[in-house]
Every structure is written in C-alpha cells, then in structure tokens.
Amino acid sequence: MPTQKTQAIVIRSHPLGEMHKIIRFYTVEFGKVSAVAHGIRRPKSRFGGSLELFNCGNLAFFEYPNKDLHRVDDFELVNDFDAVKADFDRTAYGCYLVELVDATELAGQLADQSVFHLLQYALETLAQVEDIPLLARAFEIQFLGLAGYAPQLSRCVTCAENFHGRMVHFSPRLGGLLCADCEGQDATARSISRGSCELMKQLQKFDFSYLPRFRASNLNHRELKFVLSNFISYHTERTLKSREFIDNLNV
Ligand SMILES: [Zn+2]
C-alpha cells in the first residue's frame, strides 16, 4: 500500500471524533484528496497548525486502495497565507475560492495541475489585491474554463453571430452569451452590458497580475457577480455557504 507525496492546499476540514480531523486537500497530482489527520486536535499534536484552511505544503498520505478516505502521514508547510488570514474580507473570499473548487466536479485528471496552480496563485494575489471581488470574478471565470465549463463570450452561443447593440444576454443553461435575435431561446437569460462582457473576456484571457490595470464600475461588478453566480449555481447545483456569507456582508 503506497505512501503518496504531492503538493497540496487545504480546502476544507471538519472534526472526526474528539481527537481527529478529516482534511480535504486539492493536490497537484491527485486532484481532491480526503484524509484523516490522527490526533490533530490534541494540544501537542505533531501537526500543530500546519493543516489550517488555505495552507499550502508538501503532503505525504497513506493511500488506502479503493477508498475515498486516506491517512495524513506528514504535511510540510510551505505557505500559510497569513496575510489573507489577517484580514476579515480576504479570509471570507478565500473561503469562497476553496469552497468553489471543492463543490465543482472537474472534467478529468488532466486539469488537476492547472487548477492547483490557479488556486495557489489566487490565494497569493488575494493577500495583496485591492479589488478583491474582481479577483473572485477572474478566478471564477478561469476556474470554470479549467473545469470544462468555459462560457462562450465572443459570439452568440446558438447562431455564432457577432454582437450588435449595447446589451446582450447571458444564458447559464446554454453556456454563454445570446445575441438579440436568439435571446428568446432561453427565458431565464439575463441582460448584460457590452462593457461587462468585454471585462469578462479580459478576465478570462489575462492572468491575475493584470487585475490592477482593469477598472470595474459598480455596474460591471453587479452584472459579473450576477451572471457568474447564476452560471456557477447551474453547474454545481449547490448553494455555496461562503458565497451567501459574503453576500450578507456586502463586501
Ligand atoms: Zn444569436
């Protein structure tokens, strides 16, 4: 029975009995891995605080064949993202990013490495970015792409025409934007300004280091948040608790 080693980020944890915890990781090589950290809730646990949420490090875990739950043997902490944890809003958004990764079914193992690096990069950026919600939108759109759900933003998703006019419609069900002629094909499609469309395309295309160059208006923020949250709800079929928490904070 093999011990596996891989880079990992803690994306969830919950208690198991009095002494233990089940830790959910996102790993470079195996995607999502759940493993028990034995004795972690004891005061003198050898794990200490190394397995807190967002922590990134080198994981060694004992893999039980044909099981969903494995055993944490070692976790060498590399980055604890303390600048994220020191700030309430950044922590709330960090919780949202990891919950989104946890809740989304990924299309295949090939995407794992890219998802890991995207999440790691997002947490690093979250530690210092000014427009935190814009980072969340950029992460959503890039993560959806890696997960196999990239929204079609360049042309109408049904007739492939280019867009005309100031408004287009976004359809979560059809997976992208509809032109004025096709908007009737999905009664649940919502209108969105061309400016917000363009911003979404930029967020899809450029890495997070470009975020300070983008200027998002209140309208852009509202529209992107609305269409992307609908798109995510459609694909995850779950309500994300951290998302509701952020909405209630209104940050
Ligand atoms: Zn069309």
Side-chain angles (χ1 to χ4, degrees), residues 120-215:
Q120 186 182 35
Y121 190 20
L123 289 169
E124 285 166 6
T125 309
L126 182 60
Q128 28 86 20
V129 73
E130 275 187 35
D131 192 338
I132 301 173
L134 194 65
L135 169 65
R137 304 294 87 80
F139 180 81
E140 286 168 340
I141 201 158
Q142 294 191 18
F143 172 66
L144 287 168
L146 294 176
Y149 308 117
Q152 166 62 264
L153 303 175
S154 298
R155 289 165 177 270
C156 173
V157 74
T158 60
C159 74
E161 281 294 315
N162 286 321
F163 302 113
H164 305 286
R166 286 176 53 215
M167 302 295 283
V168 288
H169 287 70
F170 188 88
S171 163
R173 183 170 65 80
L174 297 172
L177 295 170
L178 293 169
C179 71
D181 292 338
C182 299
E183 65 176 87
Q185 296 200 13
D186 181 1
T188 64
R190 295 302 180 111
S191 63
I192 173 174
S193 66
R194 290 287 297 279
S196 293
C197 269
E198 284 306 312
L199 181 58
M200 244 192 321
K201 279 162 71 176
Q202 303 288 313
L203 296 178
Q204 194 175 41
K205 189 172 169 188
F206 291 104
D207 75 47
F208 301 147
S209 67
Y210 284 80
L211 285 174
R213 302 185 192 188
F214 301 138
R215 290 285 164 263

